[in-house]
Amino acid sequence: MILDSQHPEAIQQYLSRRGWICEDEPVVAVEKPGEGNMNYTLRVRTGQPGSGQGLRSLIVKQSRPYVEKYPSIAAPAERAVMEGQFYRKTQSIPALNAYQPNLLDLDYDHNILVMEDLGEANDFTNLYQPGITLTDEELSALIEYVSTLHNQFRQATPDPAFANAAMLSLNHEHIFRYPYMLDNGFDLDTIQPGLQAAAMPYKQNEALKNTITQLGTVYLGETKRGADSTLLHGDYYPGSWLRTAADVKVIDPEFCFFGPAEFDLGVMLAHMHLSEQPESVIDATQALYEKPAGFDNQLLQQFVGVEIMRRLIGLAQLPLSLSLEKKVELLKKAELLLNAEPQSAQK
């Protein structure tokens, strides 16, 4: 089964076979619910047989062996299965399930998820535009979610069902290696004139690159630091947060794995800096988060730094409205964070 919005009859037959709609229930509309990066996602609306009236709306998502937005970039085809497993594991926790779409079906053979339609919604990427700030309620919901996740699923030995090795390898390449290659074929001046030159001191800094390499081994679980491993969302940034009519929702946990809690929170904080959130919001994020025992603040700061840097000089660019001068300032901040002192030595 290959999902295709141009063939609603095939989608109707597929959903009928899977038992989610009636055999004679027509698919009356197929549309994209938003601009996704990784997967092929559709909103499928059906009608009451013979009446022309709307009946139900489902989200149907398929992962293919490439990045949907960039087909030339290979990606693990089974990532939708990992996302489905994440929902299944977490849905028994009310404080998590309340912020997630309900998983209705997981098709292992075709890498397809069928999920609850959360209705018209927008992600939080408008935070990257000037003057947009998280509300207290939004921040509280996002922190409650990630704190609950990290404290409910801690264990000394990672769950092998969530090894997610192929996705970890893909993310590792784009966080810890690709941005720092002297010649990776990506001209940053096509993003913003002058950015290539601004990036070169970091691409040429061997000590910094060694720190980032060592941090990458922590991400991959090859080096143990910080708290016990826990189930992570794996991509906890504004593109994975939704504003719906009902509440904040968290989606797209396809990069999930068992690893250091410091990584998820580090990614979240990095995007606070990248979206120029007020210091009060950044401070509140750290104050509200419930740190698991053994949490390593130095490791947290390093993950903040590497996420800032890779988003500015790596391939996974964001819809930023930052000047070159501001990006240079953030790159310097990221370098300082990557060279953060151990927690015991910090003031």
Side-chain angles (χ1 to χ4, degrees), residues 86-105:
F86 179 95
Y87 290 138
R88 281 187 173 170
K89 189 171 184 69
T90 58
Q91 64 188 4
S92 62
I93 309 297
L96 296 176
N97 197 49
Y99 294 115
Q100 299 175 163
N102 289 318
L103 177 69
L104 305 177
D105 195 10

Side-chain angles (χ1 to χ4, degrees), residues 252-267:
D252 294 344
E254 61 208 2
F255 284 99
C256 64
F257 68 108
F258 269 77
E262 294 86 349
F263 178 75
D264 267 354
L265 186 62
V267 169

Side-chain angles (χ1 to χ4, degrees), residues 70-176:
Y70 307 103
S72 62
I73 301 176
E78 67 277 9
R79 59 190 180 273
V81 170
M82 292 305 306
E83 178 174 348
Q85 290 183 179
F86 179 95
Y87 290 138
R88 281 187 173 170
K89 189 171 184 69
T90 58
Q91 64 188 4
S92 62
I93 309 297
L96 296 176
N97 197 49
Y99 294 115
Q100 299 175 163
N102 289 318
L103 177 69
L104 305 177
D105 195 10
L106 172 54
D107 182 348
Y108 288 83
D109 293 332
H110 299 101
N111 299 310
I112 293 176
L113 303 179
V114 180
M115 294 180 292
E116 168 195 14
D117 186 357
L118 297 173
E120 295 302 323
N122 295 298
D123 65 27
F124 279 70
T125 53
N126 70 333
L127 290 177
Y128 302 119
Q129 301 308 306
I132 307 297
T133 303
L134 280 169
T135 68
D136 292 344
E137 293 77 12
E138 290 167 344
L139 180 62
S140 177
L142 292 167
I143 291 297
E144 179 185 4
Y145 180 88
V146 76
S147 292
T148 303
L149 179 67
H150 292 171
N151 284 282
Q152 285 287 332
F153 294 101
R154 290 171 54 208
Q155 53 191 69
T157 303
D159 185 341
F162 289 87
N164 210 0
M167 288 294 276
L168 247 65
S169 178
L170 175 67
N171 226 18
H172 177 269
E173 175 71 18
H174 286 281
I175 298 175
F176 302 98

